[in-house]
Structure formats: structure tokens, C-alpha cells
Amino acid sequence: MPHLLSPSKSRPFRLTLNTDGVSHPIENAMSVATLVCGLVAFVSGFIADAHILASWAGALGFGGGLYSQYVSATTAERSVNIIGIVASFVGVSLGIYHGGFVP
């Protein structure tokens, strides 16, 4: 067990979606877009007057997130997708409850 006694090399912390070492710019952009749509829908879903924004952002984030989940390449992308999809679903549900897609 000499590897336990030797000093270990620790890499600096890096936040990345490319955990496999290969660049996936399109998949990363779709994952981040899903997360942004989900957060916008989730936050605006709690505001009754913003039901149109919550409904459309949630529907766009949910549909786009499902496609992004389908083409994702890494586990980190899939994790971001799931967070965005769930937030989009909650946002679109609250938006529909408060008035739906049209004024």
C-alpha cells in the first residue's frame, strides 16, 4: 500500500459539463438553455400576473429539455437537464393554474 503513504496530487476544482474530456458545445448549450427556461418558468410561476411567461417558458423548457436529455452525452448534462425539466414542469403547471398561455 505505498500509494497511501505518498503525497496525492489533487486537481483544482473545475465546474464543467464535459466530464468525459470531449467538448460537446451543442449539448451543453441545450442543457443550459433548459435550465434557464426552467428557472424563468419556476420563478414567474409564483407570480399570478406572469402566467403567460411561466406557461410559455415552462412548455419550451420542458419540450426542449426532453430533447436535450435524449441527445445528452455526459452525466453532468443529464443532471442539469433533469433540474431544468422539473423546474419547467412546475412553472408551466403554476402558469396554467394562474391563467394559461393567453391573456
Side-chain angles (χ1 to χ4, degrees), residues 41 45 54-55 58-59 86-100:
S55 298
V86 170
S88 295
F89 180 77
V90 171
V92 76
S93 299
L94 289 171
I96 290 171
Y97 172 75
H98 288 300

Side-chain angles (χ1 to χ4, degrees), residues 2 7 9-12 15 26 30-31 50 52 57 62 70 75 77-78 88:
K9 291 183 179 181
S10 63
R11 296 185 340 194
L15 183 63
I26 296 173
M30 287 192 301
S31 295
I52 299 169
F62 190 76
Y70 177 69
T75 303
E77 291 171 358
R78 292 181 190 113
S88 295

